[in-house]
């Protein structure tokens, strides 16, 4: 058994280490930077860098890197060793404050969405001292932001930090009105529950589609899917459990509070939930978590798949982004307390959230958009593409009746198990609704629409900003008020009345909801080419530039990057499918029908009936002929798509002509062939092989 408290954070230059390794005055100054956001000077950085290096070398590190999150969605690093030339051919291990505080990676190979034409290739990384440095692969990793020569953000972290500052500013204005003058900092907090699939590595390697596209492009449904629901929370298989054990311990070393691990609904699907933390740290940690999942899986001869929909017909993977607002005085601003109907501060923050989501549904939807998440949203057991909020009956009733003196709210009840010696538990104010994209879960909102492979920065940048905007409008009204209580009541009542159409407590997976949402005038933006233009509307741009979360140039560059990526992903999928059809599907099918013909021939000579063989041969010939015809048409579409230079038009074309043709016209034929061809000839692993590989 490992000594968990001993290994926890052992690879992190955290508060304890800083206190131990840094001179007292330096430590105090650094903490001021971390806690109060004060600017950092280079002299201080020199001392910190030296202590960091000594500590890192003690732990076996030889290199350092600025660790950042460019627009590729994964993290980037460029390792530099501490080695510096010393006297007489000797070497010294050195790390300066300048190296700690700032780096200059070449930005030209990272996506910049046209920003490259307006700035030099040079990019800058700058230390984010609020996120601790850590050691990974014998390398000291310094969490940084990544900007262009002109100061435009080229990463996901810069705007996240900006949005956190905006929310903090506006929330503090509100808190002041409630008399909380003691609040120093306001943070948004996030706990990101991560879903993923594990499959046997050997099988993974045999599927080009998984290797190149991270999803299967075809595959017939196995006789047993997830209908028995026997996987969810079931006992964890020994091989998976060994993987989880190692993952936990590596995460703990990096100071990541991996807390719960369990089987998910689909066979081969799992979830890991960490303890929540301040949003930028949660974002860093989620990136590390995804990276380690992949690396450690390999060691166990497994492959971790983070794609949102690797297998059609079974559940996809999401990332449940639990979001709340906390103060340095220990308040959770979304905590209702025992008498929520009297807790007007809570109700004000709650209606701010409701207003924000209703007013910027489309922008929130933008943050969950990707080629891969398009397959998940609206499919089996995933939220639809419609944004709505689940509040639960009680809170909804409470807000409906707000201001009505006759309304009698219930006190929060104890749970009744019917067994007297079980510990008394207070019921949460709301029950669960697993179908809602944005569910209130007691003292936080759980944003379930986020895809499993996405960085959580995007969704949180927007959640922070839209809520900040609502709070800012509220503060504008209330700061001018001469009768605070009266105006506050009116504000809560009005905001709820105006925005309650966004609340839906029913089953989001039902068809009725789609119709109802349309009646209510809510957006139902199903796929990337419809979603992305909502990012560059006048309203979105005004909001984001007003709060200085993005400049207009940054918004347009991101719009281009995301759509370009969409087109590239679809193009890779198309080429992979063609490759698999030519190298596997058609040859395997022909080989089988050839073998059948031989049997039929022999039977014919022996004057034995060969109807079954003939039927099969006809079926396979029909299917392969039809597939080969469609392939020609498909190749034509791809050639046509390549000629379109406008990203918006190209994205639409790829969705309508390439993706839809692939999924709707070609896949059914391939799946039918898979079901028809004998296992001996169909060499690719099937869904059944892959999903039930970890016994
Ligand atoms: P639940 O029972 O609602 O799932 P858990 O305590 O299991 O609640 O938390 C689920 C996820 O939500 C975890 O990752 C947890 O850290 C996170 N979480 C809990 N409280 C907060 C909060 N105040 N802010 C952000 N995330 C939170
Ligand atoms: Mg959850």
């Amino acid at each position: 058994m490992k000594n968990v408290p001993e290994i926890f954070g052992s690879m992190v230059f955290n508060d304890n280490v800083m206190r131990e390794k840094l001179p007292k005055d330096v430590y105090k100054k650094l903490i001021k930077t971390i806690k109060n956001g004060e600017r950092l000077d280079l002299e201080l950085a020199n001392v910190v860098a030296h202590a960091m290096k000594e500590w890192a070398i003690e732990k076996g590190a030889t290199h350092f890197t600025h660790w950042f999150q460019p627009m590729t969605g994964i993290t980037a690093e460029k390792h530099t060793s501490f080695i510096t030339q010393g006297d007489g051919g000797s070497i010294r291990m050195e790390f300066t404050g300048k190296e700690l505080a700032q780096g200059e990676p070449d930005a030209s190979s990272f996506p910049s969405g046209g920003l490259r034409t307006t700035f030099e290739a040079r990019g800058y990384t700058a230390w984010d001292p609020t996120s601790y440095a850590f050691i990974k692969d014998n390398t000291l990793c310094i969490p940084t932001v990544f900007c262009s020569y002109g100061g435009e953000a080229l990463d996901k972290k810069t705007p996240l930090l900006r949005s956190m500052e905006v929310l903090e500013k506006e929330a503090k204005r509100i808190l002041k009105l409630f008399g909380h003058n003691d609040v120093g900092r306001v943070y948004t907090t996030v706990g990101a529950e991560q879903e993923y699939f594990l499959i046997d590595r050997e099988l993974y390697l045999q599927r080009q589609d998984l290797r190149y596209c991270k999803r299967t492009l075809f595959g017939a449904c196995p006789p047993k899917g997830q209908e028995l629901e026997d996987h969810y929370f079931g006992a964890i298989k020994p091989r998976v459990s060994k993987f989880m054990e190692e993952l936990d311990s590596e995460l703990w070393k990096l100071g990541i509070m991996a807390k719960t691990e369990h089987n998910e609904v689909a066979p081969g699907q799992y979830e890991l939930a960490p303890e929540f933390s301040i949003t930028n740290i949660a974002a860093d940690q989620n990136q590390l978590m995804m990276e380690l999942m992949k690396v450690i899986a390999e060691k166990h001869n497994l492959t971790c798949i983070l794609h949102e929909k690797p297998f059609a017909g079974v559940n996809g993977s999401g990332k449940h982004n639990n979001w709340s607002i906390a103060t340095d005085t220990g308040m959770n601003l979304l905590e209702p307390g025992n008498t929520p109907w009297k807790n007007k501060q809570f109700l004000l923050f709650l209606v701010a959230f409701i207003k924000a989501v209703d007013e910027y549904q489309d922008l929130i939807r933008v943050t969950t958009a990707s080629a891969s998440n398009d397959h998940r949203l609206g499919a089996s057991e995933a939220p639809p593409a419609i944004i709505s909020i689940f509040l639960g009956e009680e809170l909804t009733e409470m807000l409906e009746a707000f201001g009505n003196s006759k309304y009698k709210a219930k006190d929060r009840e104890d749970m009744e198990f019917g067994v007297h010696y079980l510990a008394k538990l207070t019921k949460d104010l709301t029950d669960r609704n697993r179908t809602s994209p944005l569910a209130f879960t007691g003292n936080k909102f759980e944003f379930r629409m986020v895809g499993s492979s996405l960085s959580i920065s995007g969704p949180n940048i927007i959640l922070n900003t839209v809520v900040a905007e609502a709070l800012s409008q509220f503060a504008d009204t209330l700061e001018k008020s001469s009768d605070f209580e009266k105006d506050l009541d009116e504000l809560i009542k009005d905001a709820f009345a105006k925005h309650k159409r966004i609340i839906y407590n029913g089953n989001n997976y039902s068809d009725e909801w789609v119709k109802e949402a349309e009646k209510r005038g809510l957006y139902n933006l199903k796929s990337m080419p419809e979603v992305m233009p909502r990012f560059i509307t006048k309203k979105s741009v005004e909001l984001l530039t007003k709060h200085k979360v993005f400049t207009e140039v940054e918004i347009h560059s991101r719009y281009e990057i995301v759509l370009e990526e969409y087109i590239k992903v679809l193009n890779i999928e198309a080429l992979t499918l063609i490759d698999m059809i030519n190298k596997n599907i058609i040859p395997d099918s022909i080989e089988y029908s050839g073998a059948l013909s031989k049997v039929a021939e022999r039977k014919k000579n022996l004057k034995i009936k060969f109807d079954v063989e003939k039927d099969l041969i006809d079926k396979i010939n029909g299917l392969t002929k039809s597939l080969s015809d469609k392939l020609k048409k498909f190749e034509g579409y791809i050639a046509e798509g390549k000629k379109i230079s406008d990203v918006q038009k190209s994205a639409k074309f790829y969705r309508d002509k390439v993706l839809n043709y692939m999924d709707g016209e070609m896949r059914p034929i391939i799946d039918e062939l898979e079901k028809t061809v004998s296992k001996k000839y169909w060499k690719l692993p099937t869904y059944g092989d892959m999903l039930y590989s970890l016994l």
Side-chain angles (χ1 to χ4, degrees), residues 364-480:
I364 294 175
R365 172 68 181 90
V366 165
T367 71
T368 65
S370 71
S372 49
N373 210 20
D374 273 1
H375 293 285
R376 167 177 165 259
L377 298 179
S380 31
E381 299 235 353
I386 307 162
I387 298 270
S388 71
I389 294 177
F390 168 81
L391 270 193
E393 253 167 54
E394 225 178 314
L395 266 181
T396 311
E397 268 174 30
M398 204 181 287
L399 281 167
E400 281 295 356
F402 185 78
N404 175 353
S405 54
K406 287 202 198 98
Y407 173 69
K408 205 126 171 48
K410 283 181 274 175
D411 281 321
R412 286 177 80 169
E413 300 166 24
D414 289 334
M415 288 288 269
E416 206 31 84
F417 291 108
V419 179
H420 75 278
Y421 60 80
L422 291 178
K424 258 199 172 176
L425 298 172
T426 315
K427 257 191 191 169
D428 266 340
L429 196 57
T430 55
D431 191 7
R432 283 305 167 91
N433 179 322
R434 289 183 49 91
T435 68
S436 174
L438 249 171
F440 186 69
T441 54
N443 59 7
K444 60 187 187 289
F445 277 97
E446 183 173 354
F447 188 20
R448 303 176 61 246
M449 200 186 256
V450 184
S452 49
S453 69
L454 285 173
S455 151
I456 59 167
S457 296
N460 289 300
I461 292 167
I462 298 303
L463 282 180
N464 293 347
T465 311
V466 296
V467 174
E469 169 61 22
L471 292 174
S472 150
Q473 290 181 22
F474 287 177
D476 287 347
T477 308
L478 294 174
E479 278 167 354
K480 285 196 289 249

Side-chain angles (χ1 to χ4, degrees), residues 208-215 217 371 564-580 634 638 642 654 658-659 662:
Q208 292 97 304
D209 46 3
L210 279 179
R211 271 173 24 222
Y212 302 140
C213 317
K214 310 298 170 212
R215 79 174 177 109
L217 299 173
E564 266 170 19
E565 186 191 271
Y566 177 78
I567 297 160
K568 282 181 197 158
V569 167
L570 264 48
N571 193 51
I572 293 171
E573 289 186 348
L575 298 182
T576 305
L577 186 65
I578 294 173
D579 194 54
M580 291 178 88
F634 187 56
I638 297 169
K642 282 237 166 76
Y654 267 90
V658 178
L659 179 64
M662 199 159 77

Side-chain angles (χ1 to χ4, degrees), residues 328-363:
D328 60 352
T329 53
M331 275 189 285
N332 173 346
L333 300 177
L334 292 177
E335 169 57 55
N338 283 329
T339 50
W341 63 96
K342 291 184 202 152
N343 187 347
K344 290 193 192 158
Q345 183 187 302
F346 161 69
L347 293 177
L348 188 66
F349 277 96
L350 189 67
V351 291
F353 190 88
I354 294 167
K355 169 179 159 69
V357 173
D358 184 36
E359 282 179 346
Y360 293 101
Q361 300 157 44
D362 53 342
L363 194 50

Side-chain angles (χ1 to χ4, degrees), residues 189-193 273-276 322-324 332 432 441 443-444:
T189 51
V190 166
E193 301 166 61
E275 186 68 35
F276 69 95
N322 294 273
W323 182 96
S324 190
N332 173 346
R432 283 305 167 91
T441 54
N443 59 7
K444 60 187 187 289

Side-chain angles (χ1 to χ4, degrees), residues 190-214:
V190 166
E193 301 166 61
Q194 177 75 47
E195 292 177 343
Y196 60 97
F197 277 89
L198 286 176
I199 71 164
D200 187 280
R201 185 155 173 73
E202 302 302 324
L203 298 175
Y204 164 83
L205 289 173
Q206 291 170 46
R207 293 276 310 212
Q208 292 97 304
D209 46 3
L210 279 179
R211 271 173 24 222
Y212 302 140
C213 317
K214 310 298 170 212

